Amino acid sequence: MSRTLATTLALTCIFGTLAGPCSGATGGALQGWDASILLDGKSTEKTAVPNLSVRGYEIIDAAKAIVETICPGVVSCADIIVMATRDAVALSGGVRYIVQSGRRDGTVSLAENVNLPAPSISVSDSIKAFSKKGLDSTDMVYLLVAHCSLFQDRLYNFQNTGKPDPTMDSTLLNTLKTRCPQNSTADKPVNLDQNPLSSMTVDNSYYRQIILHRGILQIDQELALDPLTNLTVAAIAKGLDFSTRFGQAMVKLGAVEVLAGAQGEIRRSCRAINTPLKN
Ligand SMILES: *[C@@H]1O[C@H](CO)[C@@H](O)[C@H](O)[C@H]1NC(C)=O
Ligand SMILES: *[C@@H]1O[C@H](CO)[C@@H](O)[C@H](O)[C@H]1NC(C)=O
Ligand SMILES: *[C@@H]1O[C@H](CO)[C@@H](O)[C@H](O)[C@H]1NC(C)=O
């Protein structure tokens, strides 16, 4: 779950701003890296996010329950997400990077605030979205993710042709069609790295895969082809310091628009705000 959960949460925040709200105000509340994604409710952000993070939510709940029995009201859900991500990365062979703490939780979560990237977002628009959050194109290349609904079009109806994306490797195409059947309502998580030898570890193997046209998201595939990012992809694919660099990008990501001081709250349960929503 490491990279998938972390980056989905992050991208929800980052691309949320394309439509304005991640950094913007709804009822005066800031919405950034503030755990609003964990709130249960009929129209909360969670209902708008693809199903991939279900297991992630359970892990966060379990961690929160333990922390609350030891020191109640001190550790925010936002910090728990960031720390759980760090641990998941370390457990899957990545570097154990140092995270900052002290984030507070947001008090608003609305489905319309979530605007995940269109699978067809261009490399340059994606770079713009990241740069608004203080992350550069290299950070972006380290942080991208996948999910059936995000690339279904590449398997069955690329750019309304009724055919698959011609740039996708045919073996990968067949594997993904099995994982993501047409018209299926189950929006399954898909491992970004389809190389079976390394799919469970956080490493640079995926970058070697996209150079071989085995990219899952259109945007990922384009990262390997677009002159704005192809050199970064090539360097990561060859580099020996993936863990360290990925950790650095995650730390920057964890610092995007945090709530601190008197902002927000320390939630008692990660699934609900402490006080009722005003509207
Ligand atoms: C999926 O839905 C489309 C449009 O409703 C339909 O044309 C197609 O036959 C369906 N495919 C499968 C495999 O059910
Ligand atoms: C979401 O994930 C759960 C747990 O894996 C599964 O039971 C459920 O069917 C999934 N829902 C969708 C819409 O994929
Ligand atoms: C990157 O893209 C440029 C422009 O298309 C091309 O000349 C160059 O060879 C590419 N480099 C790599 C490493 O793919």
Side-chain angles (χ1 to χ4, degrees):
M1 81 114 181
S2 58
R3 200 162 168 252
T4 320
L5 171 64
T7 49
T8 299
L9 293 170
L11 289 173
T12 300
C13 172
I14 288 162
F15 286 93
T17 37
L18 284 177
C22 194
S23 60
T26 304
L30 280 171
Q31 291 165 20
W33 188 259
D34 64 1
S36 55
I37 196 115
L38 299 177
L39 293 173
D40 274 335
K42 232 176 152 184
S43 62
T44 62
E45 285 169 34
K46 205 164 146 181
T47 62
V49 175
N51 199 21
L52 88 168
S53 353
V54 172
R55 198 167 142 61
Y57 293 130
E58 287 162 5
I59 292 167
I60 302 296
D61 285 344
K64 177 68 172 171
I66 293 167
V67 169
E68 285 298 294
T69 60
I70 299 167
C71 44
V74 174
V75 184
S76 70
C77 297
D79 273 353
I80 289 175
I81 295 173
V82 173
M83 291 176 195
T85 303
R86 170 203 60 193
D87 293 345
V89 169
L91 287 170
S92 51
V95 76
R96 190 177 169 87
Y97 52 89
I98 295 175
V99 299
Q100 294 166 304
S101 59
R103 291 168 196 77
R104 292 170 64 83
D105 298 320
T107 52
V108 177
S109 175
L110 294 171
E112 62 258 36
N113 288 346
V114 177
N115 190 6
L116 286 171
S120 54
I121 186 171
S122 71
V123 171
S124 67
D125 283 349
S126 184
I127 290 174
K128 276 185 215 143
F130 274 80
S131 76
K132 278 192 194 153
K133 298 294 176 181
L135 298 163
D136 62 28
S137 65
T138 303
D139 298 323
M140 176 185 84
V141 174
Y142 276 99
L143 295 169
L144 288 174
V145 226
H147 208 259
C148 286
S149 61
L150 295 179
F151 57 84
Q152 200 87 5
D153 62 320
R154 294 189 72 204
L155 308 183
Y156 300 104
N157 189 18
F158 185 63
Q159 295 176 349
N160 291 319
T161 54
K163 297 195 174 113
D165 184 342
T167 69
M168 186 181 282
D169 169 85
S170 59
T171 310
L172 176 65
L173 177 66
N174 291 331
T175 307
L176 293 181
K177 278 182 161 174
T178 309
R179 179 71 181 159
C180 309
Q182 194 171 16
N183 305 340
S184 166
T185 51
D187 195 13
K188 294 182 198 157
V190 173
N191 204 317
L192 270 177
D193 185 352
Q194 289 288 312
N195 176 353
L197 295 178
S198 63
S199 64
M200 295 311 285
T201 57
V202 177
D203 65 12
N204 66 349
S205 159
Y206 186 56
Y207 299 87
R208 296 197 291 271
Q209 298 291 310
I210 58 180
I211 288 171
L212 298 173
H213 292 252
R214 292 172 56 83
I216 293 186
L217 292 187
Q218 190 182 334
I219 173 71
D220 285 352
Q221 189 54 67
E222 283 173 10
L223 289 177
L225 304 172
D226 195 300
L228 288 171
T229 46
N230 72 346
L231 297 177
T232 307
V233 169
I236 295 174
K238 284 198 218 115
L240 299 174
D241 61 347
F242 179 82
S243 289
T244 309
R245 299 293 301 273
F246 177 71
Q248 287 165 353
M250 287 303 293
V251 169
K252 277 174 90 171
L253 189 59
V256 169
E257 286 168 9
V258 300
L259 299 183
Q263 297 171 314
E265 63 185 10
I266 304 291
R267 234 176 260 160
R268 284 184 292 274
S269 156
C270 292
R271 304 219 178 203
I273 59 174
N274 293 345
T275 47
L277 286 170
K278 288 194 183 81
N279 50 2

